[in-house]
Amino acid sequence: MSSLIKRLGISVVVAGALASTHATAQDTIRIGAPFELSGRFVAYGAQGKRGVEMAVDVYGGKIGNKKIEVLFRDVQSNNQAAVTAFTELTQQEKVDFVIGPIASGIVAASVPAWRQSKPLWIVPGSSSTQLEDAMKGEPLFFHTYPWAYQYHEGTAKALADAMGKGKKVAIVYSDGAYGREQLPWAKEFYTKNGFTVVATELVREGAADLNPVLQKIRLTRPDVLVGIVQTTDAIQLAKQIHVAKLNIPVLVGTAYPQLQEWAQATGEAADGWIGATTYLPGMKRAADPKLAKLFPSLNDWEADFKKRYNREPEFLDVTNYTSAMMLLVAIERAGTTDKEKVAKELATLNIQTMLGTSNFVPTPGGAVHQAFNDMVVFQRDGDKFVVLFPADAADGKLKLKK
Amino acid sequence: MTTLLNVEGLRAGYEDSIVLQDISLSVNEGEVVALLGANGSGKTTTMRALTGLIRPFGGKITFAGRDLLAVEPHRRVDLGIALCPEGRQVFPNISVEENLFLGSFCKRSRPDRKQTLDSVYSLFPKLAERREQKAGLMSGGEQQMLAVGRALMSKPTMLLLDEPSLGLSPKMVQILFGAIGQVARSGISILLVEQNAQAAFAVASRGYAISMGRVTASGTITELTKSGALQSSFLGSHQPVATA
Amino acid sequence: MSLFWQCIVDSLLLGGLYSLMSIGLSLGFGVTRIINFAHGEMIMFGAYGAYFASVLLGVDPLLSLPLVSIVVAVTAAVLFKALIEKVLNAPHINQILLLFGLSLALQNVAAILWTGDARSVATPYSLTAYEFDLLLVPHGRIIAFIVAAILIVALFCWLRFSELGRATRAVAENGQAATLMGINVSRMYMLSFGINAALGAATGAISSFLLTITPFMGFHMLVKAFAIVVLGGLGSVAGTIIGAFALAFAETWVSYYVPEGNGWAEGVAFIVLLFVLIIRPKGILGQAVAVH
């Protein structure tokens, strides 16, 4: 008799324990966040982590009475580690929501791992059109970063407006997915806007001397030089262009002309470079009328960021904050952690964010959900950014380099 | 006669083999002592233990009153004991003169380097002729002279010579051992390892025979020759060597 | 034709940089027979040293170069004594693993300390150039060339004429014989490693204003330096210089005259290396090296 009672007692205790853990599991909202927290792309991953952490904190750490738990994983800027982390998050931790990684190559490597269980996936990075191809028609994939061609779409139009037709363009592009993918797009957009492409020169990532390429370009006497390279090479490119006194009146980059790190490293060579972006520090973007606490005006948000992290915010800080915040709002509005329902909410959000309106639209490339398509073209003028395009946001005119 | 070098009960070898079972010998100041034996008997191993190129398993080595085993290998030459190694081991891409400079690397010998160099050149005029030449380009005999000269540059009180006649023509052996005799007469003690007993006898006054890692006989050269202890096949070349 | 002289100038300037980049590795290898896989990180720390001296103290990289080189050299010597000395007689695979591991560790230490942000020092002379007709000679690169030349000549003189330099050469040829001369071989190893580090750090200081600084910049340079050392012949410091210029010329000429040349100019380096090693395995000036 006593042994039966003992066994009964144990079962009750065990059942109670199981029940309580089950209940605790339901009490948290878990979001997987694989980021490049070490290795080559640690700069990106660090911004990813800051953005997401800040969003969760500003939101209040809880949705309803459920705690938000972000499972950060370091993908070590390495494809294999990214696959492992992604798989662990989705198969073992069984998260339904993933935000990150950021670098093009790393995101591409994560795609097969994503396909295993297809969580709701927000990618606040990767401009690679290969990703766009791979994710054609996927309803659970949300891209909150410009595609590569959008840079050139913007700058070509802006320059055509300012310079007129018939001008000559030389393109320098890096050897690697980044440069090679964007080259045909750049050629297409510039040609469409009335430019003649007079030279396309390949440069090796990390090359010790870019002068040969620049001297060859000099011979073609272009009016515009477009540098489709990543930041590390862009530093050297800008410096060597400056030294070589190529006398090309207009210099265009991709993402890097807005980056503080690039500007500090290149010194006066940075002046006059043109870039495109969805976020410029100091831009005027107002708070969302209904969700001002979560989506404040850009100025207010920047001030808050500076107070928390004692540094100037950068593009990816903003992008990740905004993306994470949108996800949290979508989960709240869906009232459930069912990923299909959350995806529906996310897809129909209409919020004024610091990157522009949050509307997700399909792209010509086939991706279903692309947000933040309002590119702004700017030119560096000393420490300032002068917005050239679109006309309604412009606060200055194109200045030719002497 | 004071004992300069004293070896007692030396046991040494390499990773999986003991080569020296029990070696005891001594060299007095001003003496030339020969260590004779066949290939593999332990002659070179003894030399290496003396210079610290290998660490013995047991035994004692005293030099000029000091426990030599307590002195790090690269410090021994500064005490005055210099080895001219088996196979010459000159620095091949370095000139003759620089090889000699290297011989006087140790602090004690550096101040008098110029004078010592002059005396080595007068001992081996061939070296003076070839002073700018890369050591590796010289003949075997010339390299041997260089090796001896290099050892002398350290101003040793005791010179260890490991098989200097190896690979040399009879004429070269004659010239070399003539020089060795001169060195002995200048007061430097010498421990000479040789397979060529005839050549050794030309300069040595005393000798030890070793076989399979043990001393099998010792005494003056006359005693050794008479006793027949050197009868075994190791006697090697029988070319007569003119006494110096 | 108008590119011809510019090509020559660019090749020479690049050759100077490559020489400095590889000469330390060559010396270290020649003496210790260990391939210093952490060589790239010595360059990287030199670059960061010069960068921070510039940003925090306002000191030009050329002025901070001596101190930065010494600090890196001393640190390297300490690391050598603490870690690397232990694998001197170990199987080669152990040596490779240790140094490679050290390299990775250092890269990530730098990334943690200083983030992965790309940096560069924008000195006044890194943004200007001499112009002779159409010929462009950037100030930064010619200054780098001069510094490299001075350091290399100094190294040569030290090796040729000084007591320790001679001892270093002796150790490189025959460590046991060197011990018999009274040379403390393990200390010479440490010294060579330290000189390797100093020259690497000097390269880094120069790179700070010529190239981009990241925690991972070193690996790329290690691979090239290694190719140069093998090309020029192991154990020959003069051969390394020849190898460096050969590589610089090959890369620059391909960049200029082959379409898309810059994209695979560095591949050319390895093709040249392959051919040389097939035809002449010991490299251009390599010596037959005795196994210790």
Side-chain angles (χ1 to χ4, degrees), chain B residues 17-18 31 58 61 68 75 92 100-101 104 136 138 143 148-149 162 169 182 187 191 200 203 215-216 242:
Chain B
S17 56
I18 300 180
E31 273 196 307
I61 306 181
L68 201 61
R75 288 196 194 288
L100 293 172
F101 283 167
S104 59
M138 299 201 301
Q143 287 192 10
V148 174
D162 194 348
S169 65
Q182 263 186 273
L191 177 61
V203 291
V215 174
T216 51

Side-chain angles (χ1 to χ4, degrees), chain A residues 325-335 342 345-346 349:
Chain A
M325 194 57 92
M326 284 163 59
L327 175 65
L328 297 177
V329 169
I331 296 174
E332 183 192 346
R333 288 202 183 162
V342 174
E345 282 300 329
L346 188 57
L349 283 183

Side-chain angles (χ1 to χ4, degrees), chain B residues 19-23 35-43 46 208-217 229-230 232-234:
Chain B
V19 178
L20 304 179
Q21 306 283 354
D22 178 11
I23 298 285
L35 189 60
L36 304 160
N39 270 334
S41 53
K43 314 190 299 296
T46 307
Y208 296 86
I210 82 170
S211 173
M212 310 245 273
R214 286 177 202 280
V215 174
T216 51
L230 309 173
S232 45
S233 58
F234 77 77

Side-chain angles (χ1 to χ4, degrees), chain A residues 51-114:
Chain A
V52 171
E53 275 177 343
M54 187 176 166
V56 170
D57 189 54
V58 169
Y59 195 91
K62 294 214 280 197
I63 300 183
N65 60 352
K66 301 204 182 131
K67 190 164 174 295
I68 303 170
E69 188 189 350
V70 181
L71 285 77
F72 287 106
R73 294 290 183 266
D74 180 7
V75 303
Q76 300 171 36
S77 303
N78 167 273
N79 289 0
Q80 194 48 50
V83 171
T84 309
F86 215 100
T87 308
E88 186 244 337
L89 284 169
T90 52
Q91 312 288 44
Q92 281 178 284
E93 299 288 352
K94 301 212 190 291
V95 298
D96 285 323
F97 309 105
V98 177
I99 176 165
I102 297 173
S104 302
I106 311 291
V107 174
S110 309
V111 169
W114 173 79

